[in-house]
Amino acid sequence: MNNRDLIDLLNAQHRLEATQWAQLFETYTDEDLEYAMALARDITVKNFGKTIYFRGIVEFSNYCKNDCYYCGIRCSNKNVSRYRLSPEDILKCCDEGYAAGFRTFVLQGGEDGWFNDERMCEIIRTIKAKYPDCAVTLSLGEHSRESYKKMYDAGADRYLLRHETADETHYDILHPAHQTLENRMRCLRDLKEIGYQTGCGIMVGSPGQTSETMAKDMVFMQEFEPEMIGIGPFLPHKDTPFKDKAAGSVKLTLFALSLCRIMLPWVLLPSTTALGTAEGDGRKMGVLAGCNVVMPNLSPLEVRKKYMLYDNKAGTEISASDGIAILRRQMEEIGYEVVVGKGDFRKGDQL
Ligand code: SAM
């Protein structure tokens, strides 16, 4: 079957075989990319209108006990100046975000033991008490089922945990031996069962990735049916073992995003900061590929540069309000409007 027929088949049945996914990633042309992007865009506009949900991200700690080989804040990187925001600072970021129209706060950080269950639950409860009309999304890495449950009961609504790759050999290229794909997947299953709107995802072009590993990612996601998918290009960081590796392809990232939209027409799909870093217009292109979420940074300017996951990360030199204004304008330039609203996952009639 040719690639265009495969994309049509995906649109009809919302799933493909691993070999069909691999064929798409291995052999797609610029025309296939355009075709997939146009289809994905149509689906997004039909389901969500020309509206984009904004989520305010607060990067509250760059302490991390993990040592992911790709990540700039890995524990072995001694050149990082470590910080953690106080609960009061985190709330201030939310105050600023609320005033700017945000109704989702994403609390993201390294795996920092200082933020134990008790402290996290207190922070979640405080935000939800002050802003009951807002969603709290967590992105705190791997924890026990009990911790996830406590934070859910404290009021957290959503959880982002990229699976990074669904292929074990590839997972082991990206992480030290004690970090396992098995545990990452256990976490994702627990999160979904507890009731979180759950996000998984990958970096496109991470070292060791192939069309076959990406096919496994797609097969995993079509089974798992996440409510959110985070996909951005891998970008090297100078203080990691992958410093000399090539950055992931923007085209392939856009193709993967479009295919995710066609596969899961209602999924919440952010156009990521990494995409905006790889290419100035990246986040606009992401929207034109079927994304419907953008996540401006609400972290205080003083700490932005310290949450450097990869080199030259976009938005580290501008204030939260300037960053929001720029993104809003970028969305308007392509005819999309930013909406105030929680933007929960909902599943309407599939196309
Ligand atoms: N600690 C939490 C976790 O593990 O999910 C959240 C923070 S972690 C830094 C968030 C995501 O950043 C990771 O899932 C990874 O996909 C992405 N990331 C890290 N380093 C990156 C790089 N060099 N290029 C692109 N994305 C990267």
Side-chain angles (χ1 to χ4, degrees), residues 24-288:
L24 282 176
F25 292 124
E26 191 64 32
T27 66
Y28 78 100
T29 61
D30 284 354
E31 289 71 41
D32 296 330
L33 172 61
E34 262 174 49
Y35 186 71
M37 280 178 69
L39 185 55
R41 197 160 58 233
D42 286 352
I43 293 167
T44 315
V45 171
K46 187 159 177 193
N47 287 358
F48 301 95
K50 282 194 141 186
T51 57
I52 300 293
Y53 297 123
F54 262 29
R55 322 295 201 193
I57 180 159
V58 183
E59 297 158 339
F60 66 91
S61 172
N62 69 354
Y63 283 90
C64 192
K65 69 177 170 60
N66 286 338
D67 215 15
C68 311
Y69 299 141
Y70 45 84
C71 185
I73 62 168
R74 59 200 295 267
C75 64
S76 295
N77 184 2
K78 302 301 173 210
N79 294 331
V80 180
S81 154
R82 303 282 169 177
Y83 74 91
R84 59 174 67 96
L85 299 183
S86 67
E88 295 71 33
D89 287 339
I90 296 173
L91 198 64
K92 261 192 228 154
C93 296
C94 297
D95 292 340
E96 193 175 340
Y98 193 88
F102 291 83
R103 295 297 177 265
T104 292
F105 304 119
V106 183
L107 306 184
Q108 189 181 92
E111 290 191 24
D112 177 359
W114 192 87
F115 287 97
N116 57 18
D117 292 350
E118 205 183 322
R119 288 189 171 123
M120 274 321 300
C121 288
E122 187 53 32
I123 292 166
I124 295 162
R125 274 194 292 269
T126 307
I127 297 173
K128 293 291 281 196
K130 187 160 187 189
Y131 299 117
D133 54 336
C134 290
V136 169
T137 303
L138 303 176
S139 178
L140 320 172
E142 298 173 31
H143 294 277
S144 67
R145 187 182 177 106
E146 292 67 41
S147 296
Y148 288 149
K149 178 79 170 83
K150 280 185 199 161
M151 293 189 278
Y152 184 76
D153 291 341
D157 303 88
R158 309 184 190 130
Y159 205 105
L160 300 172
L161 184 76
R162 291 185 179 179
H163 63 287
E164 314 296 357
T165 172
D167 180 271
E168 210 158 320
T169 309
H170 184 207
Y171 198 88
D172 293 344
I173 292 174
L174 300 176
H175 304 96
H178 64 274
Q179 294 180 233
T180 64
L181 179 59
E182 192 188 350
N183 195 51
R184 199 90 178 160
M185 291 300 192
R186 189 272 305 159
C187 290
L188 282 167
R189 278 193 307 273
D190 281 347
L191 290 163
K192 212 166 205 276
E193 281 169 19
I194 288 167
Y196 283 97
Q197 295 171 47
T198 305
C200 60
I202 61 167
M203 293 172 288
V204 168
S206 62
Q209 188 178 66
T210 63
S211 300
E212 280 72 32
T213 65
M214 286 184 82
K216 282 195 184 177
D217 292 321
M218 301 308 282
V219 169
F220 163 65
M221 291 193 284
Q222 72 195 8
E223 301 298 338
F224 185 68
E225 294 193 37
E227 283 79 21
M228 304 169 284
I229 297 179
I231 294 186
F234 159 76
L235 299 169
H237 184 289
K238 61 180 175 26
D239 297 318
T240 65
F242 293 160
K243 62 177 190 291
D244 297 322
K245 302 287 183 191
S249 146
V250 169
K251 275 190 190 174
L252 184 54
T253 305
L254 294 171
F255 193 48
L257 287 168
S258 294
L259 295 178
C260 284
R261 167 63 64 215
I262 301 166
M263 174 173 72
L264 295 169
W266 292 93
V267 79
L268 296 164
L269 196 61
S271 189
T272 56
T273 307
L275 193 52
T277 301
E279 205 147 310
D281 272 353
R283 274 189 282 209
K284 285 195 213 173
M285 285 151 67
V287 169
L288 297 175

Side-chain angles (χ1 to χ4, degrees), residues 334-351:
I334 51 173
Y336 285 74
E337 183 200 355
V338 173
V339 286
V340 172
K342 255 166 90 173
D344 278 316
F345 177 82
R346 70 184 173 90
K347 198 169 180 180
D349 297 332
Q350 300 242 324
L351 293 174

